[in-house]
Amino acid sequence: EHNFYEHHAFKSRYVIAAYHLRHCKNIVEIGGYRTPITHFLTSQHQSVTVLDPYVKPVANDTLNGAPCRVRHLPMMFEDYETHLSGTEDCFVYMGLDYYDAQNMALCKKLKDRVHTFPTVIVDYAGKYPTGAQCFQALDLPSAYDRVTSIVLDLEENDWGDLKGSWLPTGLTTRVLYVLQKRGSP
């Protein structure tokens, strides 16, 4: 179990991300797990799609009191990407942590898809090398300007009872980037 992702310290990453998604019309999030971005959005959007094998399925037609197609789909992005309409303008990946050498090909494949979004928000564990390696494989700085970069040190929080869970060393230092594609509005 990864119960620590539900702790308020980890949720603070989503508050920051949601602030930078206010202008987005159609959002796609990979890795919503138990804390999908829809729980933190306060503005109006046309659609929000969350993809994660462990997300609780949701199908709503409103968000924040306004029409919005909200879908939480328990699946991998690789299984969904052929369903993207091309109107998605914001990409969120909170927790780009669990890619290892076997999965690096997925990071490189993800690069082409991610580069189609005008706004990209990525969070990964700063002391967990595979997240940083996958972020580098996405090659975002070559086509995007940095709007915001934040390092959050969550190590000294009171984690309470993590019975049945674990908090691996290195996952508590978070690096969050908000990037805007050069030349996009």
Side-chain angles (χ1 to χ4, degrees):
E1 287 292 313
H2 302 15
N3 297 339
F4 58 89
Y5 279 125
E6 298 175 72
H7 189 277
H8 63 271
F10 271 89
K11 289 180 181 180
S12 66
R13 305 171 304 145
Y14 281 91
V15 174
I16 295 167
Y19 174 83
H20 290 284
L21 294 169
R22 294 170 310 180
H23 72 283
C24 300
K25 292 180 182 170
N26 300 291
I27 300 168
V28 174
E29 178 189 20
I30 297 178
Y33 191 51
R34 294 182 186 160
T35 55
I37 193 69
T38 50
H39 296 187
F40 302 92
L41 296 171
T42 58
S43 48
Q44 295 181 356
H45 310 278
Q46 292 176 5
S47 71
V48 181
T49 304
V50 177
L51 307 166
D52 186 293
Y54 303 105
V55 73
K56 182 180 175 181
V58 168
N60 291 326
D61 293 320
T62 61
L63 180 66
N64 301 323
C68 180
R69 183 178 191 271
V70 177
R71 301 292 182 266
H72 294 178
L73 304 171
M75 62 179 14
M76 299 292 288
F77 181 71
E78 301 84 57
D79 299 326
Y80 181 81
E81 71 175 315
T82 58
H83 300 288
L84 293 172
S85 68
T87 62
E88 297 84 5
D89 57 344
C90 293
F91 176 85
V92 181
Y93 200 141
M94 303 297 282
L96 187 69
D97 300 331
Y98 295 104
Y99 284 92
D100 55 24
Q102 292 176 330
N103 293 326
M104 196 51 68
L106 291 175
C107 292
K108 291 176 182 172
K109 181 180 177 190
L110 188 60
K111 173 186 170 183
D112 292 335
R113 176 53 77 181
V114 171
H115 278 252
T116 67
F117 291 86
T119 300
V120 174
I121 298 177
V122 177
D123 156 87
Y124 62 90
K127 294 181 181 176
Y128 205 68
T130 55
Q133 289 168 358
C134 189
F135 178 76
Q136 290 170 353
L138 294 176
D139 192 29
L140 294 168
S142 69
Y144 289 81
D145 292 320
R146 184 184 314 175
V147 175
T148 300
S149 62
I150 299 171
V151 176
L152 296 170
D153 182 358
L154 307 176
E155 184 69 34
E156 297 301 320
N157 283 282
D158 178 2
W159 298 103
D161 181 13
L162 290 177
K163 185 177 180 179
S165 184
W166 54 284
L167 184 64
T169 303
L171 287 181
T172 55
T173 300
R174 308 304 303 182
V175 178
L176 187 139
Y177 281 97
V178 178
L179 304 163
Q180 188 73 33
K181 192 168 210 166
R182 288 189 195 101
S184 64

